[in-house]
Amino acid sequence: MRPDIVVIGGGTVGAAIAYGLVRKQENVLLLDGDDGDFRAARANFGLVWLQGKGLGMPAYQALTRDSIALWRGFTEQLETETTIALAYEQNGGLAFCLGEQAFEKRRLDLLRLHNQRGDSEPDWEMLDRPALERLLPKVTLGPDVAGASFGRHDGHANPLRLLAALHAGVLHHGGALRHRARVRRIEPAGTDFRLVLDGESLVAPRIVLAAGLGSPELASQVGLDVPLRPERGQVLVTERLEPFLPLPASGLRQTGEGTVMIGATKDDPGFDVSTTGEAAARLSRKTVEIVPALAKVGLVRQWAGLRVLTPDSYPIYAQSQSHPGAFVALCHSGVTLAAFHAEELATAIAAGSLPERFSPFHQSRFDVPQAA
């Protein structure tokens, strides 16, 4: 049976959209690439995070807030349908501050965000060192830790289980999923789209481009110019430890299995996903400044992944004007925004148009005005 919608990209973003679409009784085919693709999903840190997001882009802060508000129900639905536990916890999250100057800068940055939003009650607070020590009774902090910001709505989940659950959810609702299905070309087929793969082609009236760093080339074939760049992030993982860190932190979280994830670096080596000793040393030094006892813990893994970044780091959501029915969805916060993608974005795509709240995320915001 011919699909109503083909979602190109089986990572967290595309899978969440496909899951939302099949729940709305759309006949969906989700196309996943192969293991040689630059998969941001497999290198995700797993934070479901609000604090600090959206400075200069109020619409993004609102979108993130809405997604986190949906996350609990989204998790329960997925877990019920697939029996895959996402290990989602929402007890708040921390951003450690090394030194009083960093503590004050963090306070001012969050205050600017709060003032931008204009609400009367902040959903974060600054914790001085004594308050932080009371919150983390099993942690001996390094001498330079002045305190931390605490985001009340922050949390974390297992990103690999999330991706597996989204794939299983698509199948549960009657959708189709194909692995090792790389789209080489998109052509018009009357009012439909013909997707040319290796050795075959598919036809559908609507398509969603959610293939991360592979999207710009395909998007240009349907009249969409989406500027993206890769940013490499490297992460360390320790051996399993007894539970000691009850809350996730930006760059430091203990998983349900007991391992500690340490991250993440930011550098721009192009499409290079190799790991470096320099990054491992840098991450290790910062971690030991926060929790000195971790200096004695064994590291078991280091990996690198490429973030999907637009010029201003915020998402792109758009429908092609020249090729109606072709949508693009690109972002680097696929876990945090998964619930939003499965609910509001999928609803809009199913309806055939993106409402006004998506207009700040159109790629036209990057257009450079021409000189007279």
Side-chain angles (χ1 to χ4, degrees):
M1 184 167 59
R2 191 179 79 152
D4 300 323
I5 304 178
V6 175
V7 179
I8 303 171
T12 307
V13 174
I17 295 169
Y19 172 69
L21 289 169
V22 294
R23 290 188 64 205
K24 299 177 189 310
Q25 286 72 57
E26 298 282 354
N27 180 23
V28 177
L29 172 60
L30 176 61
L31 298 180
D32 193 20
D34 57 45
D35 288 340
D37 291 344
F38 298 106
R39 296 180 182 271
R42 66 186 173 196
N44 196 287
F45 204 69
L47 297 179
V48 183
W49 211 252
L50 175 62
Q51 65 162 304
K53 289 194 173 184
L55 187 61
M57 173 70 94
Y60 182 64
Q61 187 182 128
L63 184 151
T64 303
R65 190 176 299 277
D66 289 350
S67 190
I68 288 176
L70 293 167
W71 242 90
R72 179 59 63 192
F74 167 72
T75 299
E76 292 172 355
Q77 183 78 34
L78 259 183
E79 290 181 336
T80 298
E81 293 172 354
T82 68
T83 70
I84 297 174
L86 304 188
Y88 177 49
E89 295 181 356
Q90 189 190 24
N91 300 315
L94 300 167
F96 292 106
C97 301
L98 293 170
E100 294 295 339
Q101 186 175 350
F103 185 86
E104 180 62 11
K105 182 180 185 303
R106 182 66 176 174
R107 186 187 70 81
L108 292 174
D109 286 345
L110 291 177
L111 188 59
R112 276 194 289 269
L113 265 171
H114 171 67
N115 292 339
Q116 170 185 284
R117 183 167 174 245
D119 286 358
S120 58
E121 187 66 29
D123 52 22
W124 53 271
E125 62 181 301
M126 297 301 299
L127 304 178
D128 60 16
R129 185 181 175 101
L132 186 58
E133 289 173 333
R134 288 192 294 271
L135 190 63
L136 306 175
K138 295 184 179 180
V139 178
T140 299
L141 298 168
D144 293 332
V145 177
S149 60
F150 173 75
R152 298 186 183 92
H153 298 306
D154 296 329
H156 59 151
N158 185 310
L160 297 180
R161 290 187 192 175
L162 170 63
L163 182 58
L166 289 169
H167 284 177
V170 170
L171 299 176
H172 174 82
H173 286 280
L177 168 62
R178 289 183 54 183
H179 297 289
R180 294 180 294 279
R182 180 173 295 187
V183 177
R184 300 295 184 181
R185 195 165 65 255
I186 303 175
E187 302 172 344
T191 58
D192 295 338
F193 301 94
R194 178 180 290 109
L195 309 180
V196 180
L197 288 74
D198 292 327
E200 65 171 316
S201 63
L202 304 167
V203 176
R206 286 174 289 169
I207 60 174
V208 180
L209 300 174
L213 293 168
S215 297
E217 182 179 357
L218 294 175
S220 67
Q221 298 171 31
V222 292
L224 290 164
D225 178 18
V226 288
L228 292 180
R229 67 177 177 86
E231 180 183 78
R232 183 173 63 182
Q234 299 184 51
V235 177
L236 306 177
V237 179
T238 73
E239 61 185 313
R240 297 186 181 190
L241 306 171
E242 289 296 320
F244 74 97
L245 193 60
L247 298 175
S250 178
L252 186 68
R253 78 177 187 96
Q254 188 170 25
T255 69
E257 294 78 24
T259 60
V260 177
M261 294 181 66
I262 299 167
T265 61
K266 296 180 180 181
D267 54 50
D268 188 13
F271 290 89
D272 182 359
V273 292
S274 60
T275 58
T276 66
E278 187 277 333
R282 185 162 21 117
L283 289 171
S284 298
R285 281 194 300 271
K286 183 176 179 180
T287 301
V288 170
E289 283 187 271
I290 297 169
V291 185
L294 289 176
K296 301 177 182 178
V297 171
L299 295 175
V300 298
R301 190 178 170 206
Q302 178 182 4
W303 76 77
L306 297 180
R307 299 180 184 91
V308 178
L309 288 185
T310 63
D312 62 5
S313 82
Y314 295 126
I316 291 176
Y317 303 116
Q319 179 175 197
S320 172
Q321 291 185 338
S322 61
H323 297 71
F327 296 85
V328 64
L330 300 167
C331 75
H332 76 278
S333 295
V335 171
T336 296
L337 297 179
F340 178 85
H341 291 156
E343 294 289 342
E344 290 199 38
L345 181 55
T347 297
I349 291 172
S353 64
L354 301 182
E356 178 60 28
R357 81 164 302 181
F358 288 92
S359 61
F361 303 101
H362 195 278
Q363 72 275 6
S364 60
R365 69 187 188 269
F366 303 121
D367 292 346
V368 179
Q370 297 299 312

